[in-house]
């Protein structure tokens, strides 16, 4: 990834590559695909507050946005922890973790082990807008 990019540029590129709507963190509804079936769910404020952190975690860890990848991310996030500010992660991640365990238990377990003791974006004291204004290389260094 180009180190001259800002975090917000990397995030925008991720959304384009995944064909995700750019308003994913502000839309009142979000879409989940189950094969050819597309289902819409409410997108409450607490989830909207977490989504950019979650998506940056995808980019940093390399876990995909497939059901297996979402299970891996959920395991990693639960192992590395959330703060009181991001308590809703403890509500959403277990639901995805359960799906991941059924699909790929070994990969989900490995992701959980990987997350133990790792730095987690949810624990940064900066706001998401402050993070987005950082250079990507500086952000990656901060997270390593």
């Amino acid at each position: 990834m180009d180190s001259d990019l800002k975090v917000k540029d990397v995030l925008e590129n991720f959304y384009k590559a995944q064909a995700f709507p750019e308003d994913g963190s502000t839309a009142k509804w979000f879409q989940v695909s189950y094969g050819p079936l597309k289902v819409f769910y409410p997108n409450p404020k607490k989830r909207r507050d977490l989504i950019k952190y979650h998506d940056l975690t995808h980019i940093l860890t390399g876990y995909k946005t497939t059901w297996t990848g979402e299970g891996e991310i959920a395991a990693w996030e639960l192992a590395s922890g959330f703060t009181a500010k991001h308590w809703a992660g403890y509500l959403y991640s277990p639901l995805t973790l359960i799906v991941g365990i059924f699909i790929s238990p070994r990969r989900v377990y490995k992701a959980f082990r990987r997350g133990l003791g790792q730095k987690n974006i949810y624990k940064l004291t900066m706001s998401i807008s402050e993070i987005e204004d950082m250079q990507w290389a500086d952000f990656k260094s901060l997270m390593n």
Side-chain angles (χ1 to χ4, degrees):
M1 226 171 270
D2 188 349
S3 60
D4 292 336
L5 292 175
K6 289 193 175 235
V7 171
K8 66 181 170 187
D9 300 322
V10 172
L11 198 52
E12 285 175 15
N13 291 341
F14 173 78
Y15 290 144
K16 286 178 188 168
Q18 301 301 315
F20 289 166
E22 291 179 32
D23 67 346
S25 63
T26 60
K28 300 286 184 196
W29 295 85
F30 70 99
Q31 176 183 301
V32 175
S33 296
Y34 303 96
L37 181 64
K38 296 183 185 328
V39 180
F40 288 87
Y41 293 98
N43 195 15
K45 181 170 180 357
K46 282 296 180 190
R47 183 183 180 279
R48 293 190 311 260
D49 291 346
L50 294 175
I51 199 67
K52 286 186 179 182
Y53 293 94
H54 175 82
D55 292 339
L56 284 168
T57 302
H58 271 290
I59 298 166
L60 288 168
T61 62
Y63 295 129
K64 298 182 190 239
T65 58
T66 62
W67 278 109
T68 297
E70 292 296 343
E72 290 171 313
I73 282 286
W76 189 95
E77 287 176 336
L78 287 166
S80 59
F82 295 95
T83 62
K85 177 181 175 185
H86 301 295
W87 62 266
Y90 286 117
L91 189 65
Y92 295 111
S93 289
L95 301 172
T96 311
L97 176 71
I98 291 167
V99 174
I101 288 171
F102 280 107
I103 294 172
S104 187
R106 286 188 180 136
R107 285 179 58 177
V108 169
Y109 175 74
K110 186 177 175 183
F112 184 85
R113 297 272 317 211
R114 178 182 173 198
L116 291 171
Q118 286 201 322
K119 285 186 180 178
N120 183 318
I121 187 172
Y122 296 98
K123 293 181 179 177
L124 295 178
T125 58
M126 297 181 284
S127 69
I128 194 63
S129 52
E130 290 172 310
I131 293 168
E132 286 181 306
D133 284 339
M134 292 179 71
Q135 293 298 121
W136 177 250
D138 294 337
F139 175 67
K140 277 182 60 175
S141 293
L142 177 66
M143 296 309 298
N144 286 328

